Amino acid sequence: MSSFSDAELESLVAEAVVDCYDEHEQLSGLFAMIQDNLAVPFDAEVLGVPVVVRKVDLRSSGIVAICHRGRLRQAVGILDLPLPDPLPDGVQWIEAYRWWVAGS
């Protein structure tokens, strides 16, 4: 559950998608904000396995977190990634993306 209000999330999305003409450009704008503001690397856990999120990427399926465990790498949808406690700085942009996806 997001700790951000709809008004806060709407404001973040508006900032990210200013001057965007279609959904693809909006997705790119949100990706840029996540990429620029999410504090990486951070530790997370995927299916009970500790991983390090080192970066985010934009794929045809949406925005993904690139998770590392040793030499192994796996892309996990950023909205499916269990976030750690404490939350990394910039997590509000993930929540803004979640809000945008729900409204699309």
Coordinates of all heavy atoms in Angstrom, one line a residue:
M1 N 0.8 -1.2 0.0 CA 0.0 0.0 0.0 C 0.9 1.2 0.0 O 1.8 1.3 0.7 CB -0.8 0.0 1.2 CG -2.3 0.0 1.2 SD -3.1 -0.1 -0.4 CE -4.7 0.2 0.0
S2 N 0.5 2.2 -0.8 CA 1.3 3.4 -0.9 C 1.0 4.4 0.3 O -0.1 4.5 0.7 CB 1.0 4.1 -2.2 OG 1.6 5.4 -2.3
S3 N 2.1 5.0 0.7 CA 1.9 6.0 1.8 C 1.7 7.4 1.2 O 1.7 8.4 1.9 CB 3.1 5.9 2.8 OG 4.3 6.3 2.1
F4 N 1.6 7.5 -0.1 CA 1.5 8.7 -0.8 C 0.0 8.9 -1.2 O -0.7 8.0 -1.6 CB 2.4 8.8 -2.0 CG 3.8 8.6 -1.7 CD1 4.4 7.3 -1.9 CD2 4.6 9.6 -1.3 CE1 5.7 7.1 -1.6 CE2 5.9 9.4 -1.0 CZ 6.5 8.2 -1.2
S5 N -0.5 10.2 -1.1 CA -1.8 10.4 -1.4 C -2.0 10.4 -3.0 O -1.0 10.6 -3.7 CB -2.3 11.8 -0.9 OG -1.6 12.8 -1.6
D6 N -3.2 10.3 -3.4 CA -3.5 10.4 -4.8 C -3.0 11.7 -5.4 O -2.5 11.8 -6.5 CB -5.0 10.2 -5.1 CG -5.4 8.7 -5.0 OD1 -4.6 7.8 -5.0 OD2 -6.7 8.5 -5.1
A7 N -3.2 12.8 -4.7 CA -2.8 14.1 -5.1 C -1.3 14.2 -5.3 O -0.8 14.7 -6.3 CB -3.3 15.2 -4.2
E8 N -0.5 13.6 -4.3 CA 0.9 13.6 -4.5 C 1.4 12.7 -5.7 O 2.3 13.2 -6.4 CB 1.5 13.0 -3.2 CG 1.4 13.9 -2.0 CD 1.8 13.2 -0.7 OE1 1.4 12.0 -0.5 OE2 2.6 13.8 0.1
L9 N 0.7 11.6 -5.8 CA 1.1 10.7 -7.0 C 0.7 11.4 -8.3 O 1.5 11.3 -9.3 CB 0.4 9.4 -6.8 CG 0.9 8.6 -5.6 CD1 0.1 7.3 -5.4 CD2 2.4 8.2 -5.7
E10 N -0.4 12.0 -8.3 CA -0.8 12.7 -9.6 C 0.1 13.8 -9.9 O 0.5 14.0 -11.1 CB -2.3 13.3 -9.4 CG -2.8 13.9 -10.6 CD -4.2 14.4 -10.5 OE1 -4.8 14.4 -9.3 OE2 -4.8 14.7 -11.5
S11 N 0.6 14.5 -8.9 CA 1.6 15.6 -9.1 C 2.9 15.0 -9.6 O 3.5 15.6 -10.6 CB 1.8 16.3 -7.8 OG 2.8 17.3 -8.0
L12 N 3.4 13.9 -9.1 CA 4.6 13.3 -9.6 C 4.5 12.8 -11.0 O 5.4 13.1 -11.8 CB 5.0 12.1 -8.7 CG 5.5 12.4 -7.3 CD1 5.6 11.2 -6.4 CD2 6.8 13.1 -7.4
V13 N 3.3 12.2 -11.3 CA 3.1 11.7 -12.7 C 3.1 12.9 -13.6 O 3.7 12.9 -14.7 CB 1.8 10.9 -12.8 CG1 1.5 10.6 -14.2 CG2 2.0 9.6 -12.1
A14 N 2.4 14.0 -13.2 CA 2.3 15.2 -14.1 C 3.7 15.7 -14.4 O 4.0 16.2 -15.5 CB 1.4 16.2 -13.4
E15 N 4.6 15.7 -13.4 CA 5.9 16.2 -13.5 C 6.7 15.3 -14.5 O 7.5 15.8 -15.4 CB 6.7 16.2 -12.2 CG 8.1 16.7 -12.2 CD 8.8 16.7 -10.9 OE1 8.1 16.6 -9.8 OE2 10.0 16.8 -10.9
A16 N 6.5 14.0 -14.4 CA 7.2 13.1 -15.3 C 6.7 13.1 -16.7 O 7.5 12.8 -17.6 CB 7.1 11.6 -14.7
V17 N 5.5 13.3 -17.0 CA 4.9 13.2 -18.3 C 4.6 14.5 -19.0 O 4.0 14.6 -20.1 CB 3.6 12.3 -18.3 CG1 3.9 10.9 -17.7 CG2 2.5 13.0 -17.6
V18 N 5.1 15.6 -18.4 CA 4.9 16.9 -19.0 C 5.5 16.9 -20.5 O 6.6 16.3 -20.7 CB 5.6 18.0 -18.2 CG1 7.1 17.9 -18.2 CG2 5.1 19.4 -18.7
D19 N 4.8 17.4 -21.4 CA 5.2 17.4 -22.8 C 5.2 16.0 -23.5 O 5.7 15.9 -24.6 CB 6.5 18.1 -23.0 CG 6.5 19.5 -22.6 OD1 5.5 20.2 -22.7 OD2 7.6 20.0 -22.1
C20 N 4.6 15.0 -22.9 CA 4.5 13.7 -23.5 C 3.2 13.6 -24.3 O 2.2 14.1 -23.9 CB 4.5 12.6 -22.5 SG 6.1 12.4 -21.6
Y21 N 3.3 13.0 -25.5 CA 2.1 13.0 -26.4 C 1.4 11.7 -26.3 O 0.2 11.6 -26.7 CB 2.6 13.2 -27.8 CG 3.1 14.6 -28.0 CD1 4.4 14.9 -28.1 CD2 2.2 15.7 -28.1 CE1 4.9 16.2 -28.3 CE2 2.6 17.0 -28.2 CZ 4.0 17.2 -28.3 OH 4.4 18.5 -28.5
D22 N 2.0 10.6 -25.9 CA 1.3 9.3 -25.9 C 1.8 8.5 -24.7 O 2.7 8.9 -24.0 CB 1.4 8.5 -27.2 CG 2.9 8.2 -27.6 OD1 3.8 8.2 -26.7 OD2 3.2 8.0 -28.8
E23 N 1.2 7.3 -24.6 CA 1.5 6.4 -23.4 C 3.0 6.0 -23.5 O 3.6 5.8 -22.4 CB 0.6 5.2 -23.4 CG -0.7 5.5 -22.8 CD -1.5 4.2 -22.5 OE1 -1.0 3.1 -22.5 OE2 -2.7 4.4 -22.2
H24 N 3.5 5.7 -24.7 CA 4.9 5.3 -24.8 C 5.9 6.4 -24.2 O 6.8 6.1 -23.5 CB 5.3 4.9 -26.2 CG 6.7 4.5 -26.4 ND1 7.2 3.4 -25.9 CD2 7.8 5.2 -26.9 CE1 8.5 3.3 -26.2 NE2 8.9 4.4 -26.8
E25 N 5.6 7.7 -24.6 CA 6.4 8.8 -24.1 C 6.2 9.0 -22.6 O 7.2 9.3 -21.9 CB 6.1 10.1 -24.9 CG 6.6 10.1 -26.3 CD 6.3 11.4 -27.0 OE1 5.9 12.4 -26.3 OE2 6.6 11.5 -28.2
Q26 N 5.0 8.7 -22.1 CA 4.7 8.9 -20.7 C 5.5 7.8 -19.9 O 6.1 8.1 -18.9 CB 3.2 8.7 -20.4 CG 2.4 9.9 -20.9 CD 0.9 9.7 -20.7 OE1 0.5 8.8 -20.1 NE2 0.2 10.7 -21.2
L27 N 5.5 6.6 -20.4 CA 6.3 5.5 -19.8 C 7.8 5.9 -19.8 O 8.5 5.7 -18.8 CB 6.1 4.2 -20.6 CG 6.9 3.0 -20.1 CD1 6.5 2.6 -18.6 CD2 6.6 1.8 -21.0
S28 N 8.3 6.4 -20.9 CA 9.7 6.8 -20.9 C 10.0 7.9 -19.9 O 11.0 7.9 -19.3 CB 10.0 7.3 -22.3 OG 10.0 6.3 -23.3
G29 N 9.0 8.8 -19.7 CA 9.2 9.9 -18.8 C 9.2 9.4 -17.3 O 10.1 9.8 -16.5
L30 N 8.3 8.4 -17.0 CA 8.4 7.8 -15.7 C 9.6 7.0 -15.5 O 10.2 7.1 -14.4 CB 7.1 7.0 -15.5 CG 5.8 7.8 -15.3 CD1 4.6 7.0 -15.6 CD2 5.8 8.3 -13.9
F31 N 10.1 6.3 -16.5 CA 11.3 5.5 -16.4 C 12.5 6.5 -16.1 O 13.3 6.2 -15.2 CB 11.6 4.8 -17.7 CG 13.0 4.2 -17.8 CD1 13.4 3.2 -16.9 CD2 13.9 4.7 -18.6 CE1 14.7 2.7 -16.9 CE2 15.2 4.3 -18.7 CZ 15.6 3.2 -17.8
A32 N 12.5 7.6 -16.8 CA 13.6 8.6 -16.6 C 13.6 9.1 -15.1 O 14.7 9.2 -14.5 CB 13.5 9.7 -17.6
M33 N 12.5 9.3 -14.6 CA 12.4 9.8 -13.2 C 12.8 8.7 -12.2 O 13.5 9.0 -11.2 CB 11.0 10.3 -12.9 CG 10.6 11.5 -13.7 SD 11.8 12.8 -13.6 CE 10.9 13.9 -12.5
I34 N 12.4 7.5 -12.5 CA 12.9 6.4 -11.6 C 14.4 6.2 -11.7 O 15.1 6.1 -10.7 CB 12.1 5.1 -11.9 CG1 10.6 5.2 -11.6 CG2 12.7 3.9 -11.2 CD1 9.8 4.1 -12.0
Q35 N 14.8 6.2 -12.9 CA 16.3 6.0 -13.1 C 17.1 7.1 -12.5 O 18.2 6.9 -11.9 CB 16.6 6.0 -14.7 CG 18.0 5.6 -15.0 CD 18.2 5.6 -16.5 OE1 17.6 6.4 -17.3 NE2 18.9 4.6 -17.0
D36 N 16.6 8.3 -12.6 CA 17.4 9.5 -12.0 C 17.2 9.6 -10.5 O 18.1 10.2 -9.9 CB 16.9 10.8 -12.7 CG 17.2 10.9 -14.2 OD1 18.1 10.1 -14.6 OD2 16.7 11.8 -14.8
N37 N 16.2 9.1 -9.9 CA 15.9 9.4 -8.5 C 16.0 8.2 -7.6 O 16.1 8.4 -6.4 CB 14.5 10.1 -8.4 CG 14.5 11.5 -9.0 OD1 15.2 12.4 -8.5 ND2 13.9 11.6 -10.2
L38 N 15.9 7.0 -8.1 CA 15.9 5.8 -7.2 C 17.3 5.5 -6.8 O 18.2 5.4 -7.6 CB 15.3 4.6 -7.9 CG 15.2 3.3 -7.1 CD1 14.2 3.6 -5.9 CD2 14.7 2.2 -7.9
A39 N 17.5 5.5 -5.5 CA 18.9 5.3 -4.9 C 19.2 3.8 -5.1 O 18.7 2.9 -4.4 CB 18.9 5.7 -3.5
V40 N 20.1 3.5 -6.1 CA 20.6 2.2 -6.3 C 22.1 2.2 -6.0 O 22.8 3.2 -6.3 CB 20.3 1.6 -7.7 CG1 18.8 1.4 -7.8 CG2 20.8 2.5 -8.8
P41 N 22.7 1.1 -5.6 CA 22.1 -0.2 -5.4 C 21.4 -0.3 -4.0 O 21.7 0.5 -3.1 CB 23.3 -1.1 -5.4 CG 24.5 -0.3 -4.9 CD 24.2 1.1 -5.4
F42 N 20.5 -1.2 -3.9 CA 19.9 -1.5 -2.7 C 19.6 -3.0 -2.6 O 19.4 -3.7 -3.6 CB 18.6 -0.7 -2.4 CG 17.5 -0.9 -3.3 CD1 16.5 -1.9 -3.1 CD2 17.3 -0.1 -4.4 CE1 15.5 -2.1 -4.0 CE2 16.3 -0.2 -5.3 CZ 15.3 -1.2 -5.1
D43 N 19.5 -3.5 -1.4 CA 19.3 -5.0 -1.2 C 17.8 -5.2 -1.2 O 17.0 -4.4 -0.8 CB 19.8 -5.4 0.2 CG 21.3 -5.4 0.3 OD1 22.0 -5.5 -0.8 OD2 21.8 -5.1 1.4
A44 N 17.4 -6.3 -1.7 CA 16.0 -6.8 -1.8 C 16.0 -8.3 -1.7 O 17.0 -8.9 -1.6 CB 15.3 -6.3 -3.1
E45 N 14.8 -8.8 -1.7 CA 14.6 -10.3 -1.6 C 13.6 -10.7 -2.6 O 12.5 -10.1 -2.7 CB 14.2 -10.7 -0.2 CG 14.4 -12.1 0.1 CD 14.2 -12.4 1.6 OE1 15.0 -12.1 2.4 OE2 13.1 -13.0 1.8
V46 N 14.0 -11.6 -3.5 CA 13.1 -12.1 -4.5 C 12.9 -13.6 -4.3 O 13.8 -14.4 -4.3 CB 13.6 -11.8 -6.0 CG1 12.7 -12.4 -7.0 CG2 13.8 -10.3 -6.2
L47 N 11.6 -14.0 -4.1 CA 11.3 -15.4 -3.8 C 12.2 -16.0 -2.7 O 12.7 -17.1 -2.8 CB 11.4 -16.3 -5.0 CG 10.4 -15.9 -6.2 CD1 10.7 -16.7 -7.4 CD2 9.0 -16.1 -5.7
G48 N 12.4 -15.2 -1.7 CA 13.2 -15.6 -0.5 C 14.7 -15.6 -0.7 O 15.5 -16.0 0.2
V49 N 15.2 -15.1 -1.9 CA 16.6 -15.1 -2.2 C 17.1 -13.6 -2.1 O 16.5 -12.8 -2.8 CB 16.9 -15.7 -3.6 CG1 18.3 -15.6 -4.0 CG2 16.4 -17.1 -3.6
P50 N 18.1 -13.4 -1.3 CA 18.7 -12.0 -1.3 C 19.3 -11.6 -2.6 O 20.0 -12.4 -3.3 CB 19.7 -12.1 -0.2 CG 19.6 -13.4 0.4 CD 18.8 -14.3 -0.4
V51 N 19.0 -10.4 -3.1 CA 19.5 -9.9 -4.3 C 19.9 -8.4 -4.1 O 19.6 -7.8 -3.1 CB 18.5 -10.0 -5.5 CG1 18.1 -11.4 -5.8 CG2 17.3 -9.1 -5.2
V52 N 20.7 -7.9 -5.0 CA 21.0 -6.5 -5.0 C 20.4 -5.9 -6.3 O 20.7 -6.4 -7.4 CB 22.6 -6.3 -5.0 CG1 22.9 -4.8 -5.1 CG2 23.2 -6.9 -3.7
V53 N 19.6 -4.9 -6.1 CA 19.1 -4.1 -7.3 C 20.1 -3.1 -7.7 O 20.4 -2.2 -6.9 CB 17.7 -3.5 -7.0 CG1 17.3 -2.6 -8.1 CG2 16.7 -4.5 -6.6
R54 N 20.7 -3.2 -8.8 CA 21.8 -2.3 -9.2 C 21.4 -1.2 -10.2 O 22.0 -0.2 -10.3 CB 22.9 -3.1 -9.9 CG 23.6 -4.0 -8.9 CD 24.9 -4.6 -9.4 NE 25.3 -5.7 -8.6 CZ 26.3 -5.5 -7.7 NH1 27.0 -4.4 -7.7 NH2 26.7 -6.5 -7.0
K55 N 20.3 -1.5 -10.9 CA 19.8 -0.5 -11.9 C 18.4 -0.8 -12.3 O 17.9 -1.9 -12.0 CB 20.7 -0.3 -13.1 CG 20.7 -1.5 -14.0 CD 21.6 -1.3 -15.2 CE 21.5 -2.4 -16.2 NZ 22.2 -2.0 -17.5
V56 N 17.8 0.1 -13.0 CA 16.4 -0.1 -13.6 C 16.6 -0.1 -15.1 O 17.6 0.6 -15.6 CB 15.4 0.8 -13.1 CG1 15.1 0.6 -11.6 CG2 15.8 2.3 -13.4
D57 N 15.7 -0.7 -15.8 CA 15.7 -0.7 -17.3 C 14.3 -0.6 -17.8 O 13.4 -0.9 -17.1 CB 16.4 -2.0 -17.8 CG 16.9 -1.9 -19.2 OD1 16.9 -0.8 -19.8 OD2 17.3 -2.9 -19.7
L58 N 14.2 -0.1 -19.0 CA 12.9 0.0 -19.7 C 12.9 -1.1 -20.8 O 13.7 -1.2 -21.6 CB 12.8 1.3 -20.4 CG 11.5 1.6 -21.1 CD1 10.3 1.5 -20.1 CD2 11.5 3.0 -21.7
R59 N 11.9 -2.0 -20.6 CA 11.7 -3.1 -21.5 C 10.3 -3.0 -22.2 O 9.5 -2.2 -21.7 CB 11.8 -4.5 -20.8 CG 13.1 -4.7 -20.0 CD 14.2 -5.2 -20.8 NE 15.5 -5.3 -20.2 CZ 16.0 -6.4 -19.5 NH1 15.2 -7.5 -19.5 NH2 17.1 -6.3 -19.0
S60 N 10.1 -3.9 -23.1 CA 8.7 -3.8 -23.8 C 7.6 -4.2 -22.8 O 6.5 -3.7 -22.9 CB 8.7 -4.8 -25.0 OG 8.9 -6.1 -24.5
S61 N 8.0 -4.9 -21.7 CA 7.0 -5.3 -20.7 C 6.8 -4.2 -19.6 O 5.9 -4.2 -18.8 CB 7.4 -6.5 -20.0 OG 8.7 -6.3 -19.4
G62 N 7.6 -3.1 -19.7 CA 7.5 -2.0 -18.7 C 8.9 -1.8 -18.0 O 9.9 -2.2 -18.5
I63 N 8.8 -1.2 -16.9 CA 10.0 -0.8 -16.1 C 10.4 -2.0 -15.3 O 9.6 -2.6 -14.5 CB 9.8 0.4 -15.3 CG1 9.5 1.6 -16.2 CG2 11.1 0.7 -14.5 CD1 9.0 2.9 -15.5
V64 N 11.7 -2.4 -15.3 CA 12.2 -3.6 -14.6 C 13.4 -3.2 -13.7 O 14.1 -2.2 -14.0 CB 12.6 -4.8 -15.5 CG1 11.4 -5.3 -16.3 CG2 13.7 -4.4 -16.4
A65 N 13.5 -3.9 -12.6 CA 14.7 -3.8 -11.7 C 15.7 -4.9 -12.2 O 15.2 -6.0 -12.3 CB 14.3 -4.0 -10.3
I66 N 16.9 -4.6 -12.3 CA 17.9 -5.6 -12.7 C 18.5 -6.0 -11.3 O 19.2 -5.3 -10.7 CB 19.0 -5.0 -13.6 CG1 18.4 -4.4 -14.9 CG2 20.0 -6.1 -14.0 CD1 17.5 -5.3 -15.7
C67 N 18.2 -7.3 -11.0 CA 18.6 -7.9 -9.7 C 19.8 -8.7 -9.9 O 19.9 -9.5 -10.9 CB 17.5 -8.7 -9.1 SG 16.0 -7.7 -8.9
H68 N 20.8 -8.6 -9.0 CA 22.0 -9.4 -9.1 C 22.2 -10.3 -7.9 O 21.8 -9.9 -6.8 CB 23.2 -8.5 -9.1 CG 23.4 -7.7 -10.4 ND1 24.4 -7.8 -11.2 CD2 22.6 -6.7 -10.9 CE1 24.3 -6.9 -12.3 NE2 23.1 -6.3 -12.1
R69 N 22.6 -11.5 -8.1 CA 23.1 -12.4 -7.0 C 24.3 -13.0 -7.6 O 24.3 -13.9 -8.4 CB 22.0 -13.4 -6.7 CG 22.4 -14.4 -5.6 CD 21.3 -15.2 -5.1 NE 21.7 -16.3 -4.3 CZ 21.9 -16.2 -3.0 NH1 21.8 -15.1 -2.4 NH2 22.3 -17.3 -2.3
G70 N 25.4 -12.6 -7.0 CA 26.7 -13.1 -7.6 C 26.9 -12.6 -9.0 O 26.6 -11.5 -9.3
R71 N 27.1 -13.6 -9.9 CA 27.3 -13.3 -11.3 C 25.9 -13.4 -12.0 O 25.9 -13.1 -13.2 CB 28.3 -14.2 -11.9 CG 29.7 -14.0 -11.4 CD 30.7 -14.8 -12.1 NE 30.4 -16.2 -12.0 CZ 30.9 -17.1 -12.8 NH1 31.8 -16.8 -13.7 NH2 30.5 -18.4 -12.7
L72 N 24.9 -13.9 -11.4 CA 23.6 -14.0 -12.0 C 22.8 -12.7 -12.0 O 22.9 -11.9 -11.0 CB 22.8 -15.1 -11.3 CG 23.4 -16.5 -11.2 CD1 22.6 -17.4 -10.3 CD2 23.6 -17.0 -12.6
R73 N 22.1 -12.5 -13.1 CA 21.2 -11.3 -13.2 C 19.9 -11.7 -13.6 O 19.7 -12.6 -14.4 CB 21.8 -10.3 -14.2 CG 23.1 -9.6 -13.8 CD 23.5 -8.6 -14.8 NE 23.8 -9.3 -16.1 CZ 23.9 -8.7 -17.3 NH1 23.7 -7.4 -17.3 NH2 24.1 -9.4 -18.4
Q74 N 18.9 -11.0 -13.1 CA 17.5 -11.3 -13.5 C 16.7 -10.0 -13.5 O 16.8 -9.2 -12.5 CB 16.8 -12.2 -12.5 CG 15.4 -12.6 -12.7 CD 15.2 -13.4 -14.0 OE1 16.0 -14.4 -14.2 NE2 14.3 -13.0 -14.8
A75 N 15.9 -9.7 -14.5 CA 15.0 -8.6 -14.6 C 13.7 -9.0 -13.9 O 13.1 -10.0 -14.2 CB 14.8 -8.2 -16.0
V76 N 13.3 -8.1 -13.0 CA 12.0 -8.3 -12.3 C 11.2 -7.0 -12.4 O 11.8 -5.9 -12.2 CB 12.3 -8.6 -10.8 CG1 11.0 -8.6 -10.0 CG2 13.1 -9.8 -10.6
G77 N 10.0 -7.2 -12.8 CA 9.1 -6.0 -13.0 C 9.2 -5.2 -11.7 O 9.0 -5.7 -10.6
I78 N 9.4 -3.9 -11.8 CA 9.6 -3.0 -10.7 C 8.4 -3.0 -9.8 O 8.5 -2.9 -8.6 CB 10.0 -1.6 -11.1 CG1 10.6 -0.8 -9.9 CG2 8.9 -0.8 -11.7 CD1 12.0 -0.9 -9.8
L79 N 7.2 -3.2 -10.3 CA 6.0 -3.3 -9.5 C 5.8 -4.6 -8.8 O 5.0 -4.7 -7.9 CB 4.8 -3.0 -10.4 CG 4.8 -1.6 -11.1 CD1 3.5 -1.4 -11.9 CD2 5.0 -0.5 -10.1
D80 N 6.6 -5.6 -9.2 CA 6.5 -6.9 -8.6 C 7.6 -7.1 -7.6 O 7.6 -8.1 -6.8 CB 6.6 -8.0 -9.6 CG 5.4 -8.0 -10.6 OD1 4.3 -7.7 -10.2 OD2 5.7 -8.4 -11.8
L81 N 8.5 -6.2 -7.5 CA 9.7 -6.3 -6.6 C 9.3 -6.0 -5.2 O 8.8 -4.9 -4.9 CB 10.8 -5.3 -7.1 CG 12.1 -5.3 -6.3 CD1 12.8 -6.6 -6.5 CD2 12.9 -4.1 -6.6
P82 N 9.5 -6.9 -4.3 CA 9.3 -6.6 -2.9 C 10.3 -5.6 -2.4 O 11.5 -5.9 -2.5 CB 9.4 -7.9 -2.1 CG 9.4 -9.0 -3.2 CD 9.9 -8.3 -4.5
L83 N 9.9 -4.4 -2.0 CA 10.8 -3.4 -1.6 C 11.3 -3.6 -0.1 O 10.5 -4.1 0.7 CB 10.1 -2.0 -1.7 CG 9.8 -1.6 -3.2 CD1 9.0 -0.4 -3.2 CD2 11.1 -1.5 -4.0
P84 N 12.5 -3.3 0.1 CA 13.1 -3.5 1.5 C 12.6 -2.5 2.5 O 12.0 -1.4 2.1 CB 14.6 -3.3 1.2 CG 14.7 -2.3 0.1 CD 13.5 -2.6 -0.8
D85 N 12.8 -2.8 3.7 CA 12.6 -1.8 4.8 C 13.9 -1.5 5.5 O 14.6 -2.5 6.0 CB 11.6 -2.4 5.8 CG 11.2 -1.4 6.9 OD1 11.4 -0.2 6.7 OD2 10.7 -1.9 7.9
P86 N 14.4 -0.3 5.5 CA 13.8 0.9 5.1 C 13.8 1.0 3.5 O 14.6 0.4 2.8 CB 14.6 2.0 5.7 CG 16.0 1.4 5.8 CD 15.8 -0.1 6.1
L87 N 12.8 1.8 3.0 CA 12.7 2.0 1.6 C 13.9 2.8 1.1 O 14.3 3.7 1.7 CB 11.4 2.7 1.3 CG 10.1 1.9 1.6 CD1 8.9 2.9 1.5 CD2 10.0 0.7 0.7
P88 N 14.3 2.5 -0.2 CA 15.4 3.4 -0.7 C 14.8 4.7 -1.1 O 13.6 4.9 -1.4 CB 15.8 2.6 -2.0 CG 14.6 1.7 -2.3 CD 13.9 1.4 -1.0
D89 N 15.7 5.7 -1.1 CA 15.3 7.1 -1.6 C 14.8 7.0 -3.0 O 15.3 6.2 -3.8 CB 16.5 8.0 -1.5 CG 16.9 8.4 -0.1 OD1 16.1 8.2 0.9 OD2 18.0 8.8 0.1
G90 N 13.8 7.8 -3.3 CA 13.3 7.8 -4.6 C 12.1 6.8 -4.9 O 11.6 6.8 -6.0
V91 N 11.7 6.1 -3.9 CA 10.7 5.1 -4.0 C 9.3 5.7 -4.5 O 8.5 5.1 -5.1 CB 10.5 4.2 -2.8 CG1 9.8 5.0 -1.7 CG2 9.8 2.9 -3.1
Q92 N 9.2 7.0 -4.2 CA 7.9 7.7 -4.6 C 7.7 7.6 -6.1 O 6.6 7.6 -6.6 CB 7.9 9.1 -4.1 CG 8.8 10.1 -4.8 CD 10.2 10.1 -4.1 OE1 10.6 9.2 -3.4 NE2 10.9 11.3 -4.3
W93 N 8.8 7.5 -6.9 CA 8.6 7.4 -8.3 C 8.1 6.0 -8.7 O 7.4 5.9 -9.7 CB 10.0 7.8 -9.0 CG 10.2 9.2 -8.8 CD1 11.1 9.8 -8.0 CD2 9.5 10.3 -9.5 NE1 11.0 11.2 -8.1 CE2 10.0 11.5 -9.0 CE3 8.5 10.3 -10.4 CZ2 9.6 12.7 -9.4 CZ3 8.0 11.6 -10.8 CH2 8.6 12.8 -10.3
I94 N 8.5 5.0 -8.0 CA 7.9 3.7 -8.3 C 6.4 3.7 -8.0 O 5.6 3.2 -8.7 CB 8.6 2.6 -7.4 CG1 10.1 2.4 -7.8 CG2 7.9 1.2 -7.6 CD1 10.9 1.5 -6.9
E95 N 6.0 4.4 -6.9 CA 4.6 4.5 -6.5 C 3.9 5.3 -7.5 O 2.7 5.0 -7.8 CB 4.5 5.0 -5.1 CG 5.0 4.1 -4.0 CD 4.4 2.7 -4.1 OE1 3.1 2.6 -4.3 OE2 5.1 1.7 -4.1
A96 N 4.5 6.3 -8.1 CA 3.9 7.2 -9.1 C 3.7 6.3 -10.4 O 2.6 6.4 -11.0 CB 4.7 8.4 -9.4
Y97 N 4.6 5.5 -10.7 CA 4.5 4.6 -11.8 C 3.4 3.6 -11.6 O 2.5 3.4 -12.5 CB 5.8 3.8 -12.1 CG 5.8 2.8 -13.1 CD1 5.3 3.0 -14.4 CD2 6.3 1.5 -12.8 CE1 5.3 2.0 -15.3 CE2 6.3 0.5 -13.8 CZ 5.8 0.7 -15.0 OH 5.7 -0.3 -16.0
R98 N 3.3 3.0 -10.4 CA 2.2 2.1 -10.0 C 0.8 2.8 -10.2 O -0.1 2.2 -10.8 CB 2.4 1.6 -8.6 CG 1.3 0.6 -8.2 CD 1.5 0.2 -6.7 NE 2.9 0.0 -6.3 CZ 3.5 -1.2 -6.5 NH1 3.0 -2.2 -7.1 NH2 4.8 -1.3 -6.0
W99 N 0.7 4.0 -9.8 CA -0.5 4.8 -9.8 C -0.9 5.1 -11.3 O -2.0 5.0 -11.7 CB -0.3 6.1 -9.1 CG -1.5 6.9 -8.9 CD1 -2.5 6.8 -7.9 CD2 -2.0 8.0 -9.7 NE1 -3.5 7.7 -8.0 CE2 -3.2 8.5 -9.1 CE3 -1.5 8.7 -10.8 CZ2 -3.9 9.6 -9.7 CZ3 -2.2 9.7 -11.3 CH2 -3.3 10.2 -10.8
W100 N 0.1 5.4 -12.1 CA -0.1 5.6 -13.6 C -0.5 4.4 -14.3 O -1.5 4.4 -15.1 CB 1.2 6.1 -14.2 CG 1.2 6.4 -15.7 CD1 0.7 7.5 -16.3 CD2 1.6 5.5 -16.7 NE1 0.8 7.3 -17.6 CE2 1.4 6.1 -17.9 CE3 2.3 4.3 -16.7 CZ2 1.7 5.6 -19.1 CZ3 2.6 3.7 -17.9 CH2 2.3 4.3 -19.1
V101 N 0.1 3.2 -14.0 CA -0.3 2.0 -14.6 C -1.8 1.6 -14.2 O -2.5 1.2 -15.1 CB 0.6 0.8 -14.1 CG1 0.0 -0.5 -14.5 CG2 2.0 1.0 -14.8
A102 N -2.2 1.9 -13.0 CA -3.5 1.6 -12.5 C -4.5 2.4 -13.2 O -5.7 2.0 -13.5 CB -3.6 1.7 -11.0
G103 N -4.1 3.6 -13.6 CA -5.0 4.6 -14.3 C -5.0 4.5 -15.8 O -5.8 5.1 -16.4
S104 N -4.1 3.8 -16.3 CA -3.9 3.7 -17.8 C -5.0 2.8 -18.4 O -5.4 1.8 -17.9 CB -2.5 3.2 -18.2 OG -1.6 4.2 -17.8

